[in-house]
Amino acid sequence: MPGHDAKITEINFDGLIGPSHNYAGLSVGNLAAMRNAGDVSQPRAAALQGLDKMRANLALGLRQGLFVPPARPARTWLAELGTTVDEAEPLLAANALSASAMWAANAATVSPAPDTRDGKCHLTVANLRTMPHRSHEWPATLAQLRLTFAHEGFAVHGPVPTAFGDEGAANHMRLARAHGAAGIELFVYGILGGAFPARQHLEASKAVARLHGLNPERVVFLEQSEEAIAAGAFHNDVVAVANEGVLFAHEKAFADRAAVAELCGRGDYELVEVADARVPLADAISSYLFNAQLVTPPDGAMTLIVPSEARATPSVWSWIEGHLASNGAIRRVEVVDVRQSMANGGGPACLRLRVACDPATVDPRFLVDDAKLDALSEVIGAHWPVEIESADLQKPALINQIEVARATLLEVLELTELLSG
């Protein structure tokens, strides 16, 4: 393929679900998080479910990486607010103990080397300024990105100024004939969201495109539909996902549906659009049909990795079965159990950051195989809390367990330089 760098492959970096995983209901506009606020969480089960998803990806022949959870509680952030985890009001303490960094799709926006002016893979850490519990994530995320991608083939940028909200790859897609070929980058922003905030600002998306040195003729800015945001699609990846030459989206994902169809036609990309009459928007959002991993394993059969909730939703599963029978673009569907993450509003796509690069240029400590996952499983089984009740978040014994669990994890991964953040 002309202009195709065969060394570049896609690596999915999953956020390892941290020991403070809880249901405090902090994310306005995230219907699952709001609905399950106050429920008892299961951090150990959540993290093991995440490992199982990584194992399933490895079994498909995909390259797999991970990011570790940041320090919790976020003591530096609390200090900047003039308090401590012991003295803070319960809601503030919950914001400092959030495990939401597990959703690595919000870690950064990634532009692979074939798209950029300087031929480097660019990453801009997301500022996540819309939600207090996520706004303090970026320093720890940036530290990990700079370790993971320290090779000269990468350029890692700090966050866009917080006047403009940036939610990372959850509002960014890429269409290309192959991961190692030049593509078109799609930045999805919101303006209105009914009762809920539109989290991705157009100016933030434009800034990232400039920082990454993208060709303006190969960048498209798309407005997410107000109806989708109001229905609970707080990020674009709840209603659309792209992979190589395929864009998979709900009929009501974008404000200008015709423009999306025209874009795909012009670039000879395939638009797989799900009609609202077949899968109502509410079903698409509750099942996280589109918050799936759309991937191309080595056998070439494009695969959709969906949460078990998709199989349990009749309209969604009927559409999937019909598409598979029609020999459409998606040739295989794999079902994973990420119920603990789903209960807080994060499906398979939320849990991973896609980075198309040469794996040899990545710090190997952040890449996993089955043996490393086995070692992580032992750490989680020994140190992650079995359950957390929101009312117990500030108890000293729990705080100590959370901090010891993370420290043990970093020792096993030989990443102790991240202990402070």
Side-chain angles (χ1 to χ4, degrees):
M1 181 181 297
H4 176 216
D5 186 341
K7 292 182 179 180
I8 292 179
T9 189
E10 181 178 84
I11 307 173
N12 289 277
F13 289 85
D14 280 37
L16 185 64
I17 299 173
S20 68
H21 165 61
N22 68 90
Y23 298 134
L26 302 173
S27 188
V28 177
N30 180 331
L31 300 184
M34 295 165 68
R35 181 174 61 249
N36 294 307
D39 285 359
V40 176
S41 68
Q42 297 178 315
R44 185 177 299 176
L48 293 175
Q49 286 171 6
L51 294 188
D52 286 343
K53 183 173 88 72
M54 294 187 224
R55 290 185 198 279
N57 282 355
L58 291 173
L60 286 171
L62 302 171
R63 298 302 297 263
Q64 182 66 52
L66 62 75
F67 294 133
V68 299
R72 291 293 178 264
R75 294 184 182 273
T76 299
W77 183 70
L78 288 171
E80 291 170 351
L81 293 167
T83 190
T84 65
V85 69
D86 304 308
E87 298 175 352
E89 296 173 356
L91 180 58
L92 195 60
N95 276 276
L97 279 153
S98 170
S100 55
M102 71 172 85
W103 297 309
N106 300 118
T109 304
V110 183
S111 294
D115 294 354
T116 67
R117 185 183 302 115
D118 61 6
K120 295 184 177 186
C121 177
H122 284 249
L123 301 95
T124 293
V125 69
N127 62 36
L128 298 171
R129 49 86 73 189
T130 306
M131 296 291 160
H133 68 288
R134 304 213 65 176
S135 66
H136 52 75
E137 284 179 18
W138 72 261
T141 301
L142 182 60
Q144 287 199 64
L145 294 177
R146 286 180 168 160
L147 269 185
T148 312
F149 307 111
H151 187 273
E152 62 182 9
F154 297 95
V156 179
H157 304 271
V160 170
T162 55
F164 307 109
D166 179 24
E167 300 277 314
N171 290 299
H172 174 263
M173 298 180 291
R174 181 175 187 262
L175 290 169
R177 305 317 306 174
H179 294 306
I184 295 176
E185 300 203 16
L186 286 64
F187 292 81
V188 184
Y189 63 94
I191 295 177
L192 299 172
F196 301 139
R199 302 188 187 186
Q200 183 70 28
H201 293 186
L202 175 58
E203 286 302 325
S205 295
K206 288 182 176 180
V208 171
R210 290 191 295 265
L211 288 166
H212 290 190
L214 302 180
N215 182 345
E217 295 182 358
R218 302 186 69 81
V219 174
V220 177
F221 299 100
L222 297 172
E223 182 186 345
Q224 189 175 358
S225 77
E226 178 181 359
E227 184 175 358
I229 297 172
F234 51 100
H235 292 132
N236 171 71
D237 66 3
V238 179
V239 285
V241 61
N243 178 59
E244 295 189 328
V246 174
L247 174 57
F248 178 45
H250 192 271
E251 176 186 357
K252 295 187 174 182
F254 306 106
D256 190 345
R257 176 187 173 199
V260 176
E262 192 275 333
L263 164 69
C264 289
R266 186 174 73 243
D268 195 29
Y269 301 119
E270 184 169 356
L271 173 61
V272 178
E273 186 180 72
V274 178
D276 192 64
R278 289 288 309 277
V279 179
L281 185 58
D283 285 1
I285 291 172
S286 65
S287 68
Y288 273 29
L289 166 62
F290 298 95
N291 195 252
Q293 290 180 252
L294 187 59
V295 296
T296 306
D299 65 7
M302 195 169 292
T303 300
L304 189 69
I305 302 169
V306 299
S308 54
E309 286 80 356
R311 184 166 53 192
T313 305
S315 65
V316 169
W317 199 247
S318 174
W319 185 91
I320 288 174
E321 290 183 321
H323 182 81
L324 292 175
S326 73
N327 203 29
I330 300 169
R331 300 302 179 88
R332 179 193 293 130
V333 171
E334 299 286 340
V335 180
V336 294
D337 177 6
V338 287
R339 288 187 180 93
Q340 283 290 307
S341 176
M342 285 286 290
N344 240 348
C350 284
L351 285 163
R352 62 91 177 94
L353 181 70
R354 311 167 79 166
V355 182
C357 65
D358 178 356
T361 62
V362 175
D363 187 322
R365 293 177 294 178
F366 293 91
L367 299 176
V368 302
D369 55 17
D370 284 317
K372 185 175 286 188
L373 293 179
D374 287 343
L376 296 179
S377 181
E378 290 185 10
V379 173
I380 290 164
H383 296 282
W384 260 235
V386 174
E387 292 184 342
I388 293 180
E389 295 190 26
S390 294
D392 295 338
L393 280 174
Q394 290 172 276
K395 289 187 175 179
L398 177 60
I399 298 295
N400 181 67
Q401 183 178 7
I402 289 168
E403 293 185 321
V404 168
R406 179 176 181 272
T408 305
L409 172 75
L410 295 180
E411 288 175 8
V412 169
L413 292 173
E414 299 181 352
L415 287 169
T416 52
E417 61 262 61
L418 294 175
L419 271 171
S420 62

